[in-house]
Amino acid sequence: MRLPYIDNTDPLYFRRFKAWEKVTRQEWDDWKWQMKHTITTGDELEKVIPISAEEKERINSTLDKYKFAATPYWVSLVDTSNPECPFKLQAIPMPEELVVSPGEFSDPLGEDVDSPVPGLTHRYPDRVLVLITTICSLYCRFCTRRRIILDKEGHLERGQREKILDYIAHHSEIRDVILSGGDAVVTGSILEQWLKGLRAIPHVEIIRIASKVPCVLPMRITGELVSLLKKFQPIYFMTHFNHPYEITPEAKMACDRLAEGGIPIMNQAVLLRKINSDPLIMKRLMQELLKIRVKPYYIYQCDLSEGISHFRTPVEKGIEIIEFLRGHTSGLAVPEFVIDMPGGGGKVPVMPNYVLSYSDKKVILRNYKGQIGSYPQPSETNCDCSTHAAVSEGTYQKAAGISKLFGDEAVTLEPKEVVGRTK
Ligand SMILES: *Cc1c(COP(=O)(O)O)cnc(C)c1O
């Protein structure tokens, strides 16, 4: 596959449409200039790149309900001759967006249900998700939180920071906090206040920053921002590239800055029909990410948010992609494919089946080439470590999980409380 932007020998190359002919390099590289000139209507977009009347109308007709925004940087990457250009498909609305299909929800992941304080979701034992802003520099049409982020009426309650920090401070089991939105870094001062607040809480070990700017507004990753983040380590930067074309010299520079600041970068891609629903595209994406020191973390099955049925792929497409990656390319390039279970069930990893069968004597496996082999089980099964009490304050229930079924301790296992949720 040809990567036109990477192959260019000028590392600061960008494609100038006529409208930006007079823009200086300095202006272009200034994220504030980019934010100020962000395109928010069909009429504005038409002035900078050739789009069809139908495309313009599509943008304008969704504007009553949903926001639209794309940075000049992003628009400069559009291939105007390709109707399936990934930059277009991710940013320009389709008519289907206004249609709610059966099985779709406004809050498919039940984020508002598991929310003890508005803006905070506490679903998993030791980590929480915090929405710190509704602003993004690009409104992805497949946004899972479109009810808050894309919807014109969507909003976060104001003045929640103290309440959220207070909740985290009073829950000592929380050791990992994800700052998301919107985009957690488009607004610098808000981010700093959050980081200060979190670092004042001793049990918060890890802070994750969820942001798409390395992909849509790479000039936002300034030396100044990296210096700020470095003060609050350990920080993990969770970013969002979906297509290998997005890995431009500018994106590489942004990720270099973060990596050189000692901030690990992880990628969460979304599987999107006709954008990256193809094993070769995904393999290239993962390999290109590694080259800019970004570790592929998750590929998400597209959520059941309203109006995005046209982006969804059958689940087996994701399994096929993982099958095509595992063993065929570096293990580093293989993310986990997950489905966020509707109704607040959380992320469930889904993968090809490599364990064909097992007994207490042997496990029957197949490898990535399809060869079938076996692994002999050890006869000694006692694996208790005498030091575990010294390294962990928690308690670990012996014979938890399915090992109870191997012994004679249980015939079936059931979760203690099964609570169903309806729409
Ligand atoms: C995805 C998610 C997390 C983080 O999950 P990891 O598997 O630890 O990356 C935490 N809280 C919520 C609500 C999430 O959706």
Side-chain angles (χ1 to χ4, degrees), residues 109-128:
L109 308 181
E111 287 184 338
D112 299 342
V113 179
D114 281 342
S115 181
V117 187
L120 175 139
T121 301
H122 191 178
R123 164 159 312 144
Y124 300 104
D126 67 345
R127 53 211 186 278
V128 292

Side-chain angles (χ1 to χ4, degrees), residues 102-360:
E104 291 184 334
F105 302 76
S106 113
D107 177 21
L109 308 181
E111 287 184 338
D112 299 342
V113 179
D114 281 342
S115 181
V117 187
L120 175 139
T121 301
H122 191 178
R123 164 159 312 144
Y124 300 104
D126 67 345
R127 53 211 186 278
V128 292
L129 170 74
V130 182
L131 307 185
I132 68 172
T133 176
T134 57
I135 299 171
C136 263
S137 42
L138 179 111
Y139 290 109
C140 304
R141 303 328 296 175
F142 47 88
C143 180
T144 191
R145 288 188 203 111
R146 41 198 296 124
R147 71 187 187 286
I148 303 173
I149 309 302
L150 250 66
D151 199 296
K152 283 229 151 127
E153 310 290 313
H155 62 279
L156 290 171
E157 278 181 46
R158 289 198 157 270
Q160 290 298 311
R161 188 166 64 242
E162 291 312 314
K163 286 183 201 152
I164 290 174
L165 289 173
D166 196 54
Y167 178 89
I168 296 171
H170 282 93
H171 285 79
S172 58
E173 73 276 20
I174 298 172
R175 37 169 297 286
D176 180 354
V177 176
I178 301 156
L179 297 178
S180 186
D183 194 300
V185 307
V186 286
T187 51
S189 59
I190 293 183
L191 179 64
E192 183 169 6
Q193 287 161 359
W194 277 99
L195 292 171
K196 276 193 182 141
L198 287 173
R199 278 291 169 239
I201 304 171
H203 56 261
V204 173
E205 297 169 3
I206 305 293
I207 299 174
R208 292 192 239 179
I209 294 179
S211 165
K212 204 177 156 97
V213 298
C215 177
V216 300
L217 183 67
M219 39 298 271
R220 174 65 187 102
I221 307 294
T222 56
E224 196 188 343
L225 178 73
V226 175
S227 305
L228 171 75
L229 298 181
K230 275 169 84 169
K231 287 195 270 177
F232 301 96
Q233 293 272 35
I235 284 191
Y236 283 73
F237 203 95
M238 317 301 290
T239 193
H240 181 192
F241 287 91
N242 287 323
H243 194 284
Y245 287 176
E246 295 164 2
I247 299 169
T248 62
E250 288 93 334
K252 178 177 185 306
M253 255 173 50
C255 294
D256 277 350
R257 282 203 176 130
L258 288 167
E260 260 131 56
I263 299 164
I265 318 162
M266 321 288 274
N267 191 64
Q268 318 198 105
V270 181
L271 184 50
L272 297 166
R273 187 170 153 265
K274 297 210 177 229
I275 294 173
N276 60 16
S277 52
D278 178 302
L280 287 169
I281 291 178
M282 279 295 199
K283 184 159 111 184
R284 190 67 194 253
L285 170 65
M286 303 309 158
Q287 292 170 338
E288 292 298 329
L289 283 169
L290 286 182
K291 280 160 66 181
I292 61 166
R293 287 183 279 183
V294 177
K295 167 76 185 91
Y297 181 54
Y298 283 141
I299 295 177
Y300 287 97
Q301 172 71 11
C302 194
D303 287 328
L304 294 173
S305 307
E306 288 173 349
I308 59 171
S309 63
H310 52 295
F311 285 115
R312 249 170 251 133
T313 51
V315 170
E316 57 270 29
K317 185 50 78 181
I319 298 175
E320 182 192 335
I321 287 167
I322 300 298
E323 176 85 56
F324 186 76
L325 295 174
R326 171 62 66 199
H328 298 276
T329 187
S330 321
L332 281 174
V334 187
E336 205 157 17
F337 173 50
V338 292
I339 304 180
D340 218 324
M341 207 155 85
K347 297 177 184 70
V348 179
V350 178
M351 64 190 102
N353 192 12
Y354 297 106
V355 177
L356 300 183
S357 180
Y358 54 89
S359 72
D360 55 351

